[in-house]
Every structure is written in structure tokens, then in C-alpha cells.
Amino acid sequence: MRRASVRVRAALGATLVVALALVAAGFFVVATLRDGLADTARLNAENAARGTAARLADVSRTEVRQLDGLDGDDPAQVVDANGKVLGASDPLQGRGPMADFARPDRSDDETGTGEDPEDSDGDDADDSGSGGAEVDADSENKILTFPVDDDGEVTYDKEDIVRSQEFDVAAVQGRTRDGTPVTVYSGASLGAQQEAVSTVTRSMLFGLPVLLLVVAGVTWLVTRRALRPVEGIRQEMSAITASTDLSRRVPEPDARDEVARLARTTNETLAALETSVERQRRFVADASHELRSPIASLRTQLEVAAAHPELLDLDEAVEDTVRLQTLAADLLLLARLDAGERPAEGRVALDQLVREHVAQRMADPYPVRVEVLDGGEVRGSAGQLSRVLANLLDNAQRHARSGVSVVVRREGAELALAVSDDGEGVPEEERERIFERFVRLDAARSRDEGGAGLGLAIARDVAERHGGTLRVESPSRGGATFVLRLPLAGD
């Protein structure tokens, strides 16, 4: 299944995160609003009930119906211990108790008969009035449902009833002036709470999709703008691939961000690739040029021998063949090194390798002096390291005047192999160029005397593959010294 683009995934991800955050925040806001408004309604109901209960101390049992606080539109009642309604707000006039919780015990009713306390001794009534201002410190609340009209006011007129509405009803116990224990019920509508919660919920349900569309759109545009340089890099890379022109470079943004670093890294890769391809082209051209001469010479000799067998110079033909074979072997080794071939793992005693190799070079024009100051082992391929030593000795013999020396010594954690000659030395400005392929410093030198110019290039490549270095130095006594440094083999 094909994955969506980065812009689509970024927009969807941002939208999903914002949606989850907004939904969670919405639930929190609605819950907080509902609880706050419910607490407000409960507090209003309790305050109204306590206010009415406090005023009961100024009236007798029969005067409760004229009490202030019972003339509003909110449901309110004063009920005695027997469930008799002593007073009620207008909507509840003539109706039974609106609730039956938090009733006082009948044993608390001092009248005990439910008769009018005015029939009793007036002095007793007056005495009781001074101590009847008692309001219970505790209250009890319940949610009750009442029929309401369009204005949200309680009504029992069937023509005006439009719906049912919840009220938070608070119950507070108190006593009248004559000591009658009563329960004051007072209700506060929860309609405002429900309406506010509904309004906020509808607003969120309407605004959430709009906000999410805005977030998705902004994320899409921002991501598109952020990825525009990436698209420019892609288009330029596609054009480079189509044209095979490795000199072109991708545009680098001015910003110091990941995209700019990607562009710089891409250009560095293109530069390295261009250098590698150019080097490969030069290598192929130089190899073709170097191979052409011995092949042409060998062909000429064979053609002459075919026409005039007596004129065949067999030694020269063999020499050309050997030179051609050596050149082919050098090119094959360079191709393997360029392909990333790693040397075989093994431990090589460098001092022993030097002695064995020098002992086999019996045909060198100048003597080779070997000096082993410190022995040691390195890791790598004995064959490739022997090839490095042979190339360095061949180069030293080619430029020496009277002799060549080989010194093996330790330099810290490395083992150094120094091959010196007493020739003219290497100019300082040419000390790196001589390690390039097919480079000959002496332009007048013939290929027969100077070789193909691959020996030092092969030596440095092998040294680097072994984790070492190969550099040329000029000793104080003159000539040139090529120093191969390799890390010592650990235990």
C-alpha cells in the first residue's frame, strides 16, 4: 500500500493531536462549567432556605403563609413534622409537600396536637418566641423535577406546562416563634446551568471542525513551505541523473536547519562522486595509453617476425610481454582496491618480511642495507605489504646513486618502515602528486626506465587499506625517504 506524502501525514498528525487536545479540554470546560453552575444553584437554594428559616422565628405557626420569602416564583414550602404545608410560594399554593426528606421528628413538635398555638397561653407563646430562632446548621439537597412554562417558572396549569425542569432543592430545619419544628424547602432552577452547558457544547461542536480545518490547512501550508527546498533538491538531483553532469550542484538554503545540512551533504557527495568519476576516467584513459605502447611494440615485432623470422628480437618481445603483464597486474590490483577490497586479516612480522624480501632481490643495481631498530607485528596481508615494499625498493633503486637503506623502527603505537635513497630527492611541491596514478616527475624519462607511474599509487592505497600512511621525506643528507607507518598488532 502506498504511503501518503509527508505533507498529508504531517497535516493529519497535527490535526489528530489538536483534536484530542480540544476534545479533552472541551470535556474539562463543560464539566467545570456544569459543576460551577450546579454549585451556584445549590448555594442559592441553601441561602433562600436559610433566610426563610431565620424569619420563621418572627412568626407563629398560623402566620407562616404570609412570611416574606414565600412570595417568589421559585418553588418554596414550609412543612411541619406531620407533613402539613404551613406556607408555600405562589406556584405551589394548595399543593401537598414538594419533598419528604429532612423532615423533623414528630417528638420535637411541642404542640403535639397540631392545634393553633394561639389558643394556648399567650405568655407561653411570648416566652417561646424568645428562644425559637433556631436554624439547623446543616442542610440537605436533592435534585427534583417540576413542570415549568416557557419562562422556566414552575406552573401546574396544564395549558402553560411546556416541559419539565430540574431544580436543586435545599432542606433546612427551623422553628416558628411558638416552637413548632418545620422544614423549609427552597428550590433553585438548574435551567441556566443546562442552557449554558448546551450552548457551550453546541459552540464547541460547531467550532471544533472549523478549527481543525484551519489547523490542517496551516500545517499543510507550513509543511509545504518547509519541504520546498527538499523538492528543489530532488528536482536538481533528477536533472543531474538525467544529464550525467556531475559538476552541477543542488541549491543550498540560507537557513541553518536540517534541510540546509542535507543540501550541503548532497553537494559534498556530488563533489566526491565527480572526483571519483573524473579519476576513473583519467585512469581508463591513462591505462589505455599505457597499454597501447607495449601492445603496439609487441605486434610490430610479431609482424616483422612473420615476414622476416631472422629479424625477430626475442628478448625484446619477452621484455614487452613482461612489462605488459606487470602493467595488467597493477591495473587489476588498483581495480580491486578501488572496489573496496579489504586486506586479509593476519599478523605480519615486518622485520622478517623485509629481510626475506631483500634477500630475494639479487639483481638490484645498488646494494640494500637493512637496519632493524625495533621489531614488531602488524595486521594485514603479507602479500600486499610485500608489494608495497617491492614498489618502494624499485623506486629507490631507480633514483639512487650509490645505495639504498631500509630501516624498521617503532614510533609509539606504530611500526615505521623507511626506504631511503641517495638520489636527487623529491621537490616539496611534488611530494603529494607523485602518489597520483600514472605520474612521472621526469618527463624525459622513458617508460622502460621509469615504469608506468603506478607503483607509488599502489603503495599508498595499500597502506591506507591497512590503516596506515605513506609519506615522502627529505633527509638532511639528501635523497628521498619514503616512510610507511602501520599500527602495531594488539595482543
Side-chain angles (χ1 to χ4, degrees):
M1 181 178 179
R2 185 178 179 181
R3 298 182 64 184
S5 66
V6 174
R7 283 176 291 183
V8 173
R9 283 181 286 163
L12 291 178
T15 304
L16 178 61
V17 171
V18 173
L20 293 176
L22 290 178
V23 169
F27 277 113
F28 176 78
V29 169
V30 170
T32 303
L33 179 62
R34 180 188 295 112
D35 293 342
L37 294 176
D39 290 341
T40 300
R42 183 179 302 110
L43 181 60
N44 291 337
E46 289 180 1
N47 289 337
R50 290 183 184 279
T52 302
R55 288 190 289 272
L56 286 173
D58 299 329
V59 297
S60 64
R61 177 186 180 94
T62 59
E63 296 173 337
V64 171
R65 60 176 55 89
Q66 287 84 29
L67 186 67
D68 292 339
L70 296 179
D71 54 356
D73 294 325
D74 289 331
Q77 280 184 341
V78 178
V79 182
D80 66 7
N82 297 317
K84 181 179 180 180
V85 179
L86 302 182
S89 59
D90 292 341
L92 298 180
Q93 291 288 342
R95 303 194 67 84
M98 60 187 290
D100 58 359
F101 63 95
R103 294 269 185 88
D105 293 336
R106 294 187 179 184
S107 61
D108 295 337
D109 191 343
E110 294 181 358
T111 64
T113 62
E115 297 178 354
D116 192 340
E118 291 183 352
D119 296 338
S120 63
D121 193 312
D123 292 337
D124 293 339
D126 292 340
D127 291 340
S128 67
S130 62
E134 296 181 6
V135 178
D136 194 350
D138 296 328
S139 64
E140 186 175 346
N141 292 72
K142 282 190 177 182
I143 305 299
L144 301 179
T145 302
F146 294 90
V148 297
D149 56 17
D150 288 333
D151 297 328
E153 297 179 355
V154 176
T155 181
Y156 284 90
D157 189 345
K158 294 182 180 181
E159 295 180 356
D160 295 334
I161 296 175
V162 294
R163 67 180 183 276
S164 295
Q165 178 67 57
E166 290 184 342
F167 283 74
D168 191 314
V169 177
V172 176
Q173 293 184 7
R175 288 180 182 271
T176 62
R177 185 178 60 192
D178 51 19
T180 302
V182 295
T183 301
V184 178
Y185 296 103
S186 181
S189 174
L190 295 177
Q193 174 213 31
Q194 296 170 351
E195 181 63 25
V197 170
S198 299
T199 301
V200 172
T201 302
R202 286 194 300 270
S203 299
M204 288 184 175
L205 292 177
F206 173 76
L208 181 61
V210 176
L211 183 57
L212 292 180
L213 287 177
V214 172
V215 170
V218 171
T219 305
W220 173 277
L221 294 177
V222 171
T223 307
R224 179 182 180 184
R225 182 179 180 84
L227 294 178
R228 186 176 301 166
V230 178
E231 179 62 20
I233 294 173
R234 187 202 65 79
Q235 292 178 355
E236 185 63 23
M237 286 296 295
S238 178
I240 292 173
T241 303
S243 65
T244 67
D245 182 8
L246 296 179
S247 63
R248 298 173 60 174
R249 296 292 181 266
V250 300
E252 294 187 12
D254 296 331
R256 298 180 180 179
D257 55 10
E258 292 79 1
V259 177
R261 291 196 291 270
L262 172 63
R264 285 193 291 272
T265 302
T266 302
N267 284 335
E268 291 172 358
T269 303
L270 288 173
L273 183 60
E274 181 185 13
T275 301
S276 176
V277 172
E278 184 61 28
R279 181 182 179 184
Q280 193 70 24
R281 288 174 180 172
R282 289 199 306 269
F283 176 77
V284 172
D286 291 339
S288 301
H289 181 72
E290 293 294 334
L291 288 171
R292 182 175 58 183
S293 296
I295 291 176
S297 175
L298 185 60
R299 177 181 177 180
T300 299
Q301 295 181 53
L302 293 176
E303 289 176 350
V304 170
H308 306 283
E310 68 279 3
L311 299 179
L312 175 63
D313 187 348
L314 189 58
D315 293 337
E316 184 178 354
V318 172
E319 183 179 348
D320 287 341
T321 303
V322 171
R323 197 167 96 241
L324 184 61
Q325 181 182 9
T326 302
L327 180 58
D330 288 346
L331 294 175
L332 181 60
L333 177 57
L334 284 173
R336 293 204 306 268
L337 293 175
D338 288 342
E341 180 183 276
R342 306 300 301 176
E345 285 294 330
R347 301 174 70 93
V348 181
L350 201 58
D351 53 337
Q352 182 179 352
L353 178 68
V354 170
R355 290 192 180 97
E356 292 177 355
H357 185 82
V358 171
Q360 298 174 3
R361 297 178 66 95
M362 305 301 296
D364 286 344
Y366 302 107
V368 179
R369 180 175 59 86
V370 177
E371 182 179 1
V372 179
L373 301 179
D374 300 289
E377 293 183 336
V378 297
R379 291 190 180 277
S381 169
Q384 291 187 6
L385 293 177
S386 179
R387 181 63 180 275
V388 173
L389 178 59
N391 290 354
L392 295 178
L393 288 174
D394 289 343
N395 181 75
Q397 291 286 345
R398 189 176 299 116
H399 296 91
R401 293 176 178 175
S402 60
V404 176
S405 65
V406 180
V407 179
V408 180
R409 62 177 181 271
R410 287 195 181 190
E411 295 182 355
E414 295 180 327
L415 198 61
L417 169 64
V419 178
S420 304
D421 62 69
D422 56 356
E424 297 180 356
V426 181
E428 186 173 355
E429 65 274 9
E430 301 287 353
R431 290 181 183 176
E432 284 299 317
R433 198 170 75 88
I434 59 175
F435 292 105
E436 296 179 5
R437 300 173 183 181
F438 302 104
V439 170
R440 302 182 185 87
L441 297 185
D442 188 358
R445 186 177 60 205
S446 67
R447 288 184 174 84
D448 292 339
E449 295 176 353
L454 294 176
L456 294 180
I458 292 175
R460 169 166 278 189
D461 283 354
V462 172
E464 291 176 350
R465 292 297 189 280
H466 283 74
T469 59
L470 177 60
R471 292 184 174 87
V472 59
E473 301 174 357
S474 294
S476 58
R477 65 178 182 275
T481 298
F482 288 82
V483 182
L484 170 67
R485 292 181 175 88
L486 297 172
L488 284 166
D491 295 336

